[in-house]
Amino acid sequence: MIEKTAQNSNHDRSNLYDTALKKRYGIDNIFAVATWSAISISVIVLAVLLIDVCIDGIPKLNWNFLTSFPSRNPEEAGLLSALVGTIWMMITVAAVSFPLGVGAGIYLEEFASDNWFNRLVEININNLAGVPSIIYGLLGLQVFVRLFEPMTGGRSILSGSLTIALLILPVIIVSTREALRSIPDSLRLAGYALGATKWQIIWEHIFPLAIPGILTGTILALSRGIGETAPLITIGALTFISFLPENLQSAFTVLPIQIFNWVSRPQPEFHDLAAAGIIVLMVVLMVMNAGAIILRNKFQKKF
Amino acid sequence: MVTHKTTEQASLTDTEKPVLRAKRVDVYYGNNLAVREVSLDIFQHKVIAFIGPSGCGKSTILRCFNRMNDLVPSAKVKGEITFKGKDIYAPKVDPVELRSQIGMVFQKPNPFPKSIYENIAFGARINGYKGDMDQLIEESLKKAALWDEVKDKLKQSGLALSGGQQQRLCIARAIAVAPEVILMDEPCSALDPISTLKIEELIQELKLQYTIIIVTHNMQQASRVSDYTAFYNAEATDDGDKIGYLVEYDDTETIFQSPQQQATQEYVSGRFG
Ligand SMILES: Nc1ncnc2c1ncn2[C@@H]1O[C@H](COP(=O)(O)OP(=O)(O)OP(=O)(O)O)[C@@H](O)[C@H]1O
Ligand SMILES: [Mg+2]
């Protein structure tokens, strides 16, 4: 009796299902090849770029290059002011955009009620992430350089940093929200059931778990921010600076602007300097990303 | 114990005041009425089981008692629920304070991804516990019958425990806040029979100090652990929605041996539907 049903169901199965394993594995392989090609193309392009830059730039990389101010003479020119400007700006941008972005993200994700106003804010923030950076430059020029000149000092590190901070704010907000959203609700419920307030739950349980994601998003946004040229040129960052900034209201330049300046000169010696500058900028970015990974691992290790 | 019934509510004894009392409670999600006219009294140091088919509103009613429904934006509660004589939905009642007096254990164990120690210390700390923390943690774990298994690894993650141990950790965590009532929503549904038995024994211990309401789909469990049983059912409306209601509430023996309602009889004997 039992055997018979078993036979029957076997018989039914081959009639009803066509497992077509060969075809499915075939599709598997096609996808493997397609994705592999995608990664190879991007890696090859990147490698060609890197090799090209390194061939031109590495011979120019030396201690003098890092510790000299720009000069009309390519033999003496260096990027000290640009490197220091980039570091100043990076710190200021992080100090402004991290608390603002994370705060806004927490509010929108955890506190905001679902009404038309908050939805409008949300849509706008998502759209802001896609606005071309030059528009932020125009905004920065009008608001920070002109309107708030007494405070920012005009074409200063502060104006530049605020502009870049605005530019990357939407990215930080969105990644904060994503990170918070990925924490299971059961933890929130557990907290509430013990008589915790919203803030106690967020601070003690949600935030520590979300921090790795928030940091990853923030550092990616910062890396994008320090590579930006257009908005800084718009607000009028200088291209030739032979002094170090003294405070946030000092005039400044940054690595991408210095590189841009060297590239646009006719003499080929300056083009090699630009290549060396690109290597320095990439090292700065890599250090930042490494920092992000270390921070993230440190927070993730807890449990 | 005197047992009598009125038409509106099943009042099981008049020898003492109920800890929790629901009077004609309706719960809406959005515009949908999910549960209607639930009235019942819950007495101190008793175990009350909520039974009934899926979707009849057991969890919904349970969440009303500690205002966890406030966290569902669409949920609306009508009627009156009193805790020790005070309306818990009155404007001046703080749900945060209420929840520290009426604790909750969830269906799926949900320890915080922190150490066993921290899991228990958190609730005590936020509620301003002033005593010796180490001692409280030991006591809570002992009451939750978990101490012997974890006493050497309090610094380890709560997530490294087995499901049954995690659930007992969640019970310990709830106890550490010194609530008067503990609400348990199917606390054993994710556990193996041995862990389930442990939690059932634990409930028997705990009722000496706490009042416990437990939702369960397990008839044996309801009859084993509870003093009173509330049977809920749901009826379909014309437009296809289901509305839950309390069919019968009585001491557990009556519900399982000689219920008044036929639906109860059919449900507890497994001939339902
Ligand atoms: N958050 C919610 N939003 C909208 N409707 C809900 C929500 N929670 C529950 N409901 C509805 O309320 C009704 C009762 O649900 P409830 O979870 O209380 O049932 P239950 O008796 O606990 O069922 P189960 O035994 O399956 O846990 C169901 O019809 C359900 O769809
Ligand atoms: Mg339920």
Side-chain angles (χ1 to χ4, degrees):
Chain A
M1 183 71 189
I2 293 168
E3 248 167 55
K4 202 176 160 197
T5 13
Q7 259 176 12
N8 262 349
S9 66
N10 260 344
H11 177 73
D12 284 351
R13 193 165 192 281
S14 55
N15 265 353
L16 282 171
Y17 295 89
D18 175 15
T19 40
L21 271 182
K22 241 199 181 124
K23 193 171 142 211
R24 280 152 65 194
Y25 278 127
I27 294 174
D28 257 23
N29 288 335
I30 292 173
F31 264 95
V33 170
T35 46
W36 186 85
S37 323
I39 186 96
S40 329
I41 290 171
S42 29
V43 166
I44 289 170
V45 170
L46 195 67
V48 168
L49 266 173
L50 278 178
I51 292 167
D52 184 48
V53 164
C54 285
I55 290 171
D56 292 344
I58 284 183
K60 298 278 171 190
L61 268 184
N62 55 41
W63 192 243
N64 259 349
F65 179 67
L66 293 177
T67 55
S68 312
F69 289 111
S71 158
R72 252 172 277 277
N73 177 358
E75 294 304 309
E76 290 170 10
L79 43 54
L80 179 64
S81 48
L83 182 59
V84 173
T86 286
I87 292 170
W88 272 69
M89 220 181 76
M90 211 164 79
I91 293 168
T92 320
V93 169
V96 172
S97 61
F98 185 74
L100 278 184
V102 173
I106 292 180
Y107 172 77
L108 284 174
E109 194 57 36
E110 304 280 345
F111 288 94
S113 52
D114 190 24
N115 58 29
W116 67 268
F117 178 76
N118 286 324
R119 248 172 308 186
L120 193 73
V121 170
E122 207 176 315
I123 292 170
N124 273 309
I125 286 174
N126 291 340
N127 286 340
L128 277 179
V131 169
S133 58
I134 190 112
I135 309 279
Y136 284 93
L138 292 171
L139 177 81
L141 178 66
Q142 189 57 31
V143 177
F144 301 127
V145 175
R146 296 198 179 134
L147 220 57
F148 288 110
E149 182 168 7
M151 275 180 278
T152 58
R155 303 165 193 282
S156 63
I157 298 184
L158 189 56
S159 295
S161 302
L162 291 175
T163 307
I164 299 294
L166 273 190
L167 173 76
I168 66 172
L169 208 49
V171 183
I172 298 182
I173 294 174
V174 170
S175 57
T176 300
R177 298 189 59 181
E178 289 297 331
L180 291 173
R181 205 173 304 160
S182 69
I183 312 297
D185 253 351
S186 63
L187 288 184
R188 294 181 176 85
L189 293 180
Y192 283 121
L194 290 169
T197 59
K198 200 168 230 180
W199 179 245
Q200 285 170 325
I201 295 168
I202 295 174
W203 182 246
E204 299 232 11
H205 299 299
I206 308 300
F207 207 61
L209 294 177
I211 262 272
I214 294 176
L215 281 179
T216 309
T218 305
I219 303 267
L220 283 179
L222 272 179
S223 325
R224 184 188 157 200
I226 70 158
E228 277 296 341
T229 325
L232 294 178
I233 291 178
T234 318
I235 69 160
L238 299 177
T239 50
F240 193 93
I241 294 255
S242 53
F243 53 85
L244 290 183
E246 280 171 356
N247 54 39
L248 288 178
Q249 295 179 330
S250 300
F252 72 109
T253 190
V254 289
L255 287 170
I257 292 184
Q258 186 65 66
I259 293 165
F260 172 74
N261 173 261
W262 279 332
V263 170
S264 48
R265 298 219 183 173
Q267 301 96 315
E269 291 89 344
F270 279 114
H271 297 171
D272 292 347
L273 286 183
I278 289 170
I279 295 175
V280 173
L281 181 57
M282 277 192 317
V283 169
V284 171
L285 281 171
M286 261 154 33
V287 168
M288 274 178 70
N289 283 326
I293 292 169
I294 291 169
L295 272 177
R296 193 175 55 205
N297 290 348
K298 185 168 167 272
F299 280 104
Q300 261 168 355
K301 245 184 221 133
K302 272 192 175 165
F303 279 106
Chain B
M1 200 174 289
V2 190
T3 312
H4 69 90
K5 285 199 179 61
T6 63
T7 45
E8 269 190 5
Q9 69 191 55
S11 184
L12 295 158
T13 168
D14 50 13
T15 54
E16 54 177 330
K17 284 215 164 98
V19 185
L20 278 168
R21 160 174 270 177
K23 261 194 233 156
R24 305 189 69 112
V25 172
D26 295 331
V27 188
Y28 293 82
Y29 289 108
N31 292 323
N32 291 335
L33 180 60
V35 194
R36 67 164 164 80
E37 287 189 45
V38 171
S39 299
L40 55 89
D41 287 355
I42 283 156
F43 290 94
Q44 204 168 28
H45 298 177
K46 296 282 185 268
V47 178
I48 290 86
F50 282 7
I51 59 171
S54 193
C56 67
K58 305 178 295 293
S59 302
T60 299
I61 287 294
L62 196 72
R63 285 197 300 263
C64 290
F65 287 128
N66 64 345
R67 290 188 58 174
M68 288 296 269
N69 271 340
D70 290 17
L71 304 171
V72 181
S74 66
K76 220 167 42 220
V77 179
K78 287 191 176 155
E80 190 183 64
I81 298 180
T82 55
F83 174 52
K84 295 195 291 186
K86 294 205 185 80
D87 181 3
I88 62 169
Y89 281 89
K92 62 176 189 301
V93 172
D94 180 2
V96 166
E97 198 189 341
L98 178 77
R99 291 186 199 122
S100 69
Q101 294 168 313
I102 304 180
M104 191 164 207
V105 175
F106 298 84
Q107 179 169 3
K108 240 180 89 202
N110 56 353
F112 298 120
K114 296 196 164 175
S115 69
I116 294 171
Y117 187 97
E118 255 309 302
N119 259 283
I120 301 173
F122 171 73
R125 188 153 32 80
I126 57 166
N127 283 294
Y129 177 68
K130 293 197 286 281
D132 178 19
M133 189 62 85
D134 291 354
Q135 199 186 330
L136 175 74
I137 285 168
E138 183 174 340
E139 268 170 26
S140 308
L141 283 170
K142 276 183 176 156
K143 279 189 200 164
L146 189 60
W147 175 251
D148 290 334
E149 288 156 72
V150 302
K151 62 173 181 254
D152 301 321
K153 44 181 185 180
L154 293 179
K155 292 277 172 269
Q156 278 182 28
S157 169
L159 293 176
L161 299 172
S162 75
Q165 288 173 325
Q166 286 187 17
Q167 196 62 301
R168 276 178 285 150
L169 177 60
C170 292
I171 293 174
R173 178 174 76 181
I175 292 170
V177 186
E180 296 187 33
V181 182
I182 304 174
L183 310 173
M184 299 184 173
D185 195 348
E186 300 183 43
C188 303
S189 67
L191 305 184
D192 69 292
I194 293 171
S195 306
T196 301
L197 214 61
K198 275 205 174 122
I199 296 213
E200 287 180 12
E201 284 166 7
L202 179 57
I203 291 172
Q204 291 306 323
E205 287 292 312
L206 292 176
K207 80 171 191 189
L208 302 174
Q209 291 179 53
Y210 310 94
T211 308
I212 296 170
I213 309 181
I214 175 173
V215 175
T216 176
H217 280 291
N218 181 332
M219 291 304 115
Q220 280 93 37
Q221 182 168 70
S223 61
R224 276 194 301 258
V225 302
S226 71
D227 302 302
Y228 297 102
T229 298
F231 170 61
Y232 294 82
N233 198 358
E235 59 184 10
T237 58
D238 297 337
D239 45 358
D241 289 335
K242 269 168 66 179
I243 301 179
Y245 62 102
L246 177 60
V247 177
E248 193 169 357
Y249 178 43
D250 216 321
D251 46 77
T252 299
E253 209 184 303
T254 313
I255 292 286
F256 280 88
Q257 306 299 336
S258 51
Q260 309 273 324
Q261 305 288 326
Q262 196 182 345
T264 316
Q265 170 69 41
E266 283 171 1
Y267 189 77
V268 298
S269 60
R271 281 184 277 115
F272 192 75

